[in-house]
């Protein structure tokens, strides 16, 4: 009979420990590698999404500046400007609706300021400013880099446009914006730590940044312009040291189409990588404890590895679920941002009223309020949504019209709730605006009922107002929104204006 050999058993235990630790080290290294890349990928996704937010604001600001300077040029060249006699003339009436933090000026070719919205204007000569010289040299419009205002000492950037008299350069109109407008964008992005948001002109000149820099900056020789923007109009990269403050950041950039701007959101790399380093610290502690424990309990290595495998599977399952939820959140945010942007583009037409835009956005907000208040992530109470949207519109108009509801307990999916809210908002708003101009004791009746077939619902909104001829009605913004909402709801509608106005629609809510 073969003798028991303790040495062989010990060698076997040592070999088992070595093999187990080799496997553990390989697993830990793989986990650390995957954790690092997952953390970096999450950080890149976050700054990329943030750069889209910054780009959206940059697009709006550019369109605002272009429209404001265009209005000023038309005001001056059309002859509607009051005669200029000595002192600077106040032109605030020509730019009604211009935000108070924005100042506009009309400067003649000889440097004299002719008109202004700035009540505290001091005599200054801007002919040495690039935004004046470029227009004098023949450019139609110009967006300046970051400047220090000679009037207030604040950091500003300027939109300017030339105007002519008899085909000859006669001066420039300018709209000055404070870089303080970057603060709300910075607060909305909120990447945490030492992060920053910026507008950079496509020639590399810094236009605006928050937190504010000490001075302007020429970034044309920086890697963003020498390398990354040449490869792609949008992306992310690691900045070892910011050219402004030397902080290491991960940067999301995006060329803003139709503008001279590059939008940048730069996150604090150290902050975003803290979860990874925290995980590494935990891994080191666990490894040390496992090493000490394995010396006296080698026989438990196998079971510990099984536990670790189960934990890894559970973590992966949780990660998969979180990624699914994150994708869903991004999908909803994207859709809502696109909807809001579409509404804003529609309302930039001349003659539209901002109240209508406010009401429509409130209708969208009502959907989210119901989702968050009731944890209704799949479907909402359609009756409650219709009631809330209607009450919001009534409150916005301050109307004393009596509203009677006849609402069945139906559900509407989250994907269709916004369309339903906008549809109700448009129809009720139209009744309040047009139905009761000369009619007292106004009444609106709103009904929502399920149909017996095809999973359809019936929505009726009727008023006892003055009525109208649907064939003679013009197709405005509201009509387009109603029809767009109905398409999203796979619905159809009819209008009867013979005795008051009655809107009837067949909708698919789920």
């Amino acid at each position: 009979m073969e003798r028991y050999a303790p040495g062989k058993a010990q060698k076997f235990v040592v070999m088992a420990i070595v093999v187990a630790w080799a496997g553990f080290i390989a697993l830990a290294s793989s986990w650390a590698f995957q954790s690092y890349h997952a953390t970096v990928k999450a950080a890149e996704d976050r700054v990329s999404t943030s750069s889209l937010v910054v780009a959206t604001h940059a697009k709006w600001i550019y369109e605002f500046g272009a429209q404001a300077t265009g209005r000023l040029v038309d005001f001056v060249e059309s002859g509607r400007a009051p005669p200029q006699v000595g002192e600077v003339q106040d032109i605030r009436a020509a730019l009604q609706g211009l935000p108070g933090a924005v100042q506009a000026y009309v400067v003649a070719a000889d440097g004299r300021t002719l008109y202004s919205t700035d009540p505290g204007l001091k005599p200054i000569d801007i002919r040495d400013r690039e935004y004046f010289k470029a227009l004098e040299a023949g450019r139609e419009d110009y967006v300046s880099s970051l400047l220090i205002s000679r009037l207030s000492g604040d950091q500003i950037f300027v939109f300017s446009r030339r105007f002519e008299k008899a085909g000859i350069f006669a001066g420039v109109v300018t709209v000055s914006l404070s870089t303080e407008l970057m603060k709300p964008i910075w607060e909305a992005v909120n990447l945490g730590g030492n992060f920053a948001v910026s507008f950079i002109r496509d020639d590399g000149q810094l236009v605006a940044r928050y937190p504010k820099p000490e001075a302007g900056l020429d970034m044309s020789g920086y890697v963003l312009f020498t390398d990354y923007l040449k490869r792609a109009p949008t992306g992310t990269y690691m900045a070892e040291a910011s050219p402004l403050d030397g902080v290491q950041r991960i940067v999301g950039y995006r060329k803003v189409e139709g503008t001279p701007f590059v939008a940048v959101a730069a996150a604090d790399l150290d902050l975003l990588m803290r979860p990874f380093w925290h995980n590494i610290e935990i891994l080191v502690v666990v490894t040390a404890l496992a090493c000490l424990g394995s010396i006296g309990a080698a026989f438990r290595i196998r079971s510990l590895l099984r536990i670790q495998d189960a934990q890894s599977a559970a973590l992966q399952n949780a990660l998969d679920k979180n990624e699914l939820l994150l994708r869903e959140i991004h999908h909803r945010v994207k859709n809502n941002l696109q909807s809001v942007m579409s509404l804003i583009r529609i309302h930039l037409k001349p003659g539209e009223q901002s109240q209508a835009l406010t009401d429509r956005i409130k209708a969208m907000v009502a959907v989210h309020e119901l989702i968050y208040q009731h944890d209704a992530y799949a479907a909402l109470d359609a009756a409650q949504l219709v009631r809330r949207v209607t009450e919001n519109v009534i409150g916005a108009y301050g109307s004393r019209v009596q509203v009677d509801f006849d609402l069945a307990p139906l559900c509407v999916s989250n994907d269709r709730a916004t369309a339903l809210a906008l549809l109700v908002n448009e129809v009720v708003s139209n009744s309040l605006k047009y139905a009761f101009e000369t009619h007292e004791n106004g009444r609106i009746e709103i009904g929502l009922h399920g149909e017996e077939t095809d999973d359809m619902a019936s929505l009726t909104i009727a008023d006892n107002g003055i009525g109208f001829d649907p064939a003679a009605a013009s197709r405005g913004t509201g009509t387009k929104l109603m029809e767009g909402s109905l398409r999203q709801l796979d619905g159809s509608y009819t209008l009867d204006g013979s005795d008051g106005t009655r809107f009837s629609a067949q909708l698919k809510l789920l």
Side-chain angles (χ1 to χ4, degrees):
M1 185 176 67
E2 185 178 359
R3 291 181 62 187
Y4 172 70
K8 290 184 178 180
Q10 292 175 1
K11 288 180 180 179
F12 176 78
V13 171
V14 170
M15 289 182 63
I17 293 174
V18 170
V19 171
W21 272 103
F24 175 79
I25 291 172
L27 181 64
S29 299
S30 175
W31 176 85
F33 179 81
Q34 293 178 4
S35 177
Y36 173 80
H37 285 281
T39 303
V40 171
K41 181 63 168 58
E44 290 175 342
D45 290 344
R46 192 173 178 189
V47 296
S48 178
T49 301
S50 298
S51 72
L52 178 59
V53 174
V54 179
T56 301
H57 285 82
K59 179 77 170 178
W60 179 87
I61 289 170
Y62 179 78
E63 291 177 350
F64 162 78
Q67 289 189 15
T69 54
R71 286 170 61 185
L72 277 173
V73 168
D74 180 65
F75 176 72
V76 174
E77 291 185 342
S78 66
R80 290 185 289 112
Q84 211 286 326
V85 287
E87 297 182 354
V88 177
Q89 301 290 311
D90 189 342
I91 57 166
R92 281 176 288 182
L95 290 172
Q96 290 183 359
L98 196 68
V102 178
Q103 300 294 352
Y105 308 89
V106 178
V107 181
D110 60 4
R112 291 181 302 110
T113 302
L114 305 177
Y115 308 99
S116 174
T117 60
D118 185 358
L121 180 66
K122 303 173 185 176
I124 58 170
D125 191 344
I126 63 168
R127 286 178 293 175
D128 62 327
R129 292 289 205 185
E130 191 63 30
Y131 61 81
F132 186 98
K133 294 193 293 184
L135 302 185
E136 187 178 30
R139 284 193 53 168
E140 288 296 323
D141 53 47
Y142 193 82
V143 181
S144 79
S145 59
L146 179 67
L147 301 172
I148 302 299
S149 171
R150 293 172 178 172
L151 292 171
S152 64
D154 296 334
Q155 291 186 0
I156 61 169
F157 60 101
V158 177
F159 290 86
S160 61
R161 189 183 297 265
R162 67 182 280 143
F163 66 90
E164 299 177 348
K165 295 289 180 66
I168 300 174
F169 174 72
V172 302
V173 299
T174 68
V175 174
S176 170
L177 291 84
S178 170
T179 59
E180 279 293 326
L181 60 79
M182 298 296 290
K183 185 175 182 181
I185 305 174
W186 180 80
E187 292 172 342
V189 170
N190 193 17
L191 290 170
N194 195 0
F195 75 99
V197 295
S198 306
F199 297 162
I200 306 172
R201 211 166 57 189
D202 52 16
D203 63 355
Q205 297 297 321
L206 180 65
V207 175
R209 182 185 187 269
Y210 201 90
K212 293 182 179 180
E214 293 290 333
L217 180 66
D218 182 358
M219 298 180 64
S220 58
Y222 187 59
V223 66
L224 172 59
F225 287 88
T226 61
D227 188 0
Y228 292 103
L229 277 169
K230 291 182 178 180
R231 297 184 196 172
T234 181
T236 62
Y237 66 94
M238 296 282 190
E240 293 298 326
S242 165
L244 277 170
D245 54 20
V247 175
Q248 188 178 24
R249 293 187 175 95
I250 182 168
V251 179
Y253 66 90
R254 189 174 299 268
K255 180 73 176 69
V256 186
E257 186 177 354
T259 79
F261 292 147
V262 176
V264 172
D268 189 332
L269 182 62
D270 178 65
L271 177 68
L272 294 182
M273 294 301 294
R274 282 179 189 174
F276 168 74
W277 293 117
H278 178 67
N279 290 338
I280 292 298
E281 291 175 0
I282 294 175
L283 180 62
V284 170
V285 173
V286 170
T287 301
L289 293 175
C291 182
L292 292 175
S294 65
I295 295 174
F299 66 92
R300 297 201 60 186
I301 291 177
R302 185 178 180 183
S303 62
L304 290 174
L305 289 175
R306 288 178 176 176
I307 293 173
Q308 187 179 31
D309 288 340
Q311 291 175 339
S312 296
L315 288 173
Q316 186 60 50
N317 185 46
L319 179 61
D320 291 341
K321 290 181 179 179
N322 286 339
E323 289 177 347
L324 180 62
L325 290 174
L326 184 60
R327 284 195 296 271
E328 178 66 17
I329 289 171
H330 281 308
H331 178 69
R332 293 189 183 279
V333 170
K334 180 196 72 174
N335 287 345
N336 285 344
L337 283 175
Q338 288 176 339
S339 297
V340 172
M341 289 167 62
S342 297
L343 288 174
I344 291 174
R345 284 195 292 269
I346 291 172
H347 279 267
L348 286 177
K349 297 178 180 178
E352 292 285 338
Q353 298 297 321
S354 62
Q355 182 60 46
L357 175 58
T358 301
D359 293 342
R360 289 161 184 158
I361 295 178
K362 283 184 178 179
M364 298 172 67
V365 170
V367 175
H368 288 282
E369 286 178 345
L370 289 176
I371 291 174
Y372 300 143
Q373 290 173 359
H374 301 282
D375 292 334
Y377 295 105
L380 296 177
D381 184 339
Q384 189 175 9
L385 177 60
V386 170
R387 184 182 294 272
R388 181 168 297 189
V389 170
T390 303
E391 291 172 349
N392 285 346
V393 177
I394 297 294
Y397 282 87
S399 176
R400 297 183 179 179
V401 171
Q402 180 177 343
V403 181
D404 296 330
F405 294 99
D406 183 12
L407 307 174
L410 302 179
C411 291
V412 57
S413 69
N414 282 346
D415 291 334
R416 296 172 182 262
T418 299
L420 176 61
L422 287 173
L423 178 61
V424 173
N425 176 81
E426 291 305 317
V427 179
V428 175
S429 295
N430 285 341
S431 288
L432 294 176
K433 287 191 289 186
Y434 306 116
F436 307 113
E437 293 180 352
T438 60
H439 192 79
E440 297 181 354
N441 301 321
R443 179 187 297 271
I444 298 177
E445 298 177 354
I446 301 178
L448 179 67
H449 300 280
E451 298 285 350
E452 295 181 358
T453 58
D454 299 330
D455 297 325
M456 300 293 284
S458 173
L459 172 67
T460 59
I461 302 176
D463 63 58
N464 63 343
I466 60 175
F468 78 112
D469 181 6
S474 61
R475 284 174 51 81
T477 301
T479 302
K480 294 177 183 177
L481 281 174
M482 286 169 52
E483 293 176 350
S485 298
L486 283 163
R487 283 194 295 272
Q488 295 180 48
L489 294 165
D490 298 328
S492 61
Y493 77 101
T494 60
L495 271 175
D496 182 4
S498 59
D499 183 14
T501 301
R502 183 179 184 84
F503 170 89
S504 301
Q506 306 298 313
L507 314 171
K508 190 172 184 179
L509 299 182
L510 295 174

